[in-house]
Amino acid sequence: MSDAATGPAQEKKERKGTLGRLMKYLMLQKGSFLLAILLLVIGTLTFLYVNLLLGDVINILTTSKNMSLIQDKALIMGVCSILTLICLYFGFRMLTDVTQYALFRLRQEIFEHMQTLSLRFFDKQPIGELMSRVTNDMDTINNLFQAPFGLTIQSAIMLIMTITALFSLNPLLAGVAVVVIPILAVFVAVLAHISGPSFTMLQVRLGDLNGVMEETLEGQRTVISNRHQSISA
């Protein structure tokens, strides 16, 4: 089989393997991670329940205008809002602690692994590529583990609960609304397919730029200290 046929499949397999290895670092604090997910679930459910109660209050105002019932609903909404705030705050806080510890262990293992490499490896590898792996790639993982990771979990829970509520209220209208989801999924897949190679090229170019900075600009200090400006020029 040709490389063109095996390339995309191999790249997809490696991407899944990379994501699985990153999740193993999150599982280093499995209890805190699961508790953070639980708090995010509770916070999302109470947030959706507040919206449900708001709909009931609007219905009461347009029909019976029972103020005592409205006050009871408002009290429950206030309690649920406070619970939502507490759960989401501590959920995101614990998730941040877990992700930061995972990044710390990942950086520590990279450093320990680089200490075991031979001088021949550092002599053959471009310094810019090494710097890109240690700094820029870690920053990319850090950006993934921060707000987007927690917001993705919260959005997935909210989407599932919203679809469930839609089908419980009106299955016909819910079916019409759900039709949009595959369209959005296809759009996101096409966007990821287009932006993926561009992001890879960006990382390669960034590694080359780091190589120029480290070997040319930073190396000028050594050149000047040895008075070899004419030779380097």
Side-chain angles (χ1 to χ4, degrees):
M1 188 177 293
S2 63
D3 295 339
T6 58
Q10 182 68 21
E11 182 180 355
K12 185 176 181 181
K13 183 178 180 180
E14 291 179 355
R15 190 180 305 167
K16 290 182 178 180
T18 302
L19 184 60
R21 289 194 297 270
L22 291 177
M23 290 301 297
K24 290 180 180 179
Y25 285 95
L26 292 177
M27 289 297 131
L28 293 174
Q29 292 182 322
K30 187 175 181 180
S32 299
F33 179 72
L34 295 178
L35 182 58
I37 299 299
L38 179 61
L39 290 175
L40 291 178
V41 171
I42 296 175
T44 305
L45 291 178
T46 52
F47 174 77
L48 294 175
Y49 188 59
V50 168
N51 295 324
L52 181 61
L53 292 175
L54 182 60
D56 293 339
V57 170
I58 294 175
N59 292 333
I60 295 172
L61 288 174
T62 56
T63 55
S64 62
K65 297 182 180 181
N66 189 342
M67 297 306 298
S68 62
L69 186 58
I70 292 176
Q71 290 177 358
D72 294 338
K73 296 284 186 179
L75 180 61
I76 298 175
M77 288 174 61
V79 173
C80 290
S81 299
I82 295 174
L83 183 60
T84 300
L85 178 63
I86 294 174
C87 289
L88 291 181
Y89 173 78
F90 284 103
F92 278 107
R93 179 64 181 270
M94 293 183 64
L95 189 61
T96 301
D97 293 338
V98 171
T99 54
Q100 287 300 314
Y101 180 75
L103 288 171
F104 168 74
R105 288 295 301 272
L106 183 58
R107 288 190 177 100
Q108 190 177 38
E109 290 185 9
I110 290 176
F111 178 77
E112 292 176 353
H113 177 68
M114 293 185 68
Q115 298 301 310
T116 62
L117 298 176
S118 62
L119 292 177
R120 181 181 300 177
F121 172 81
F122 292 99
D123 184 58
K124 290 183 178 180
Q125 295 294 326
I127 188 64
E129 183 177 347
L130 294 177
M131 291 293 297
S132 180
R133 292 292 180 90
V134 176
T135 58
N136 298 299
D137 289 359
M138 289 301 302
D139 290 338
T140 302
I141 298 175
N142 185 29
N143 294 331
L144 171 65
F145 276 171
Q146 288 298 324
F149 186 73
L151 291 176
T152 300
I153 296 175
Q154 184 186 9
S155 300
I157 298 170
M158 188 174 295
L159 178 63
I160 294 173
M161 298 306 300
T162 301
I163 293 176
T164 304
L166 287 175
F167 276 101
S168 63
L169 294 174
N170 194 322
L172 181 60
L173 293 178
V176 175
V178 169
V179 173
V180 183
I181 296 179
I183 299 176
L184 293 177
V186 172
F187 175 76
V188 171
V190 172
L191 185 62
H193 180 73
I194 296 174
S195 62
S198 300
F199 179 78
T200 303
M201 184 181 297
L202 176 63
Q203 293 298 107
V204 173
R205 297 289 177 84
L206 192 58
D208 296 338
L209 181 60
N210 285 331
V212 174
M213 292 176 60
E214 292 292 329
E215 297 173 2
T216 304
L217 300 180
E218 293 293 333
Q220 288 299 316
R221 298 179 181 178
T222 305
V223 172
I224 294 172
S225 65
N226 290 277
R227 301 171 66 92
H228 287 169
Q229 294 93 324
S230 59
I231 299 176
S232 63

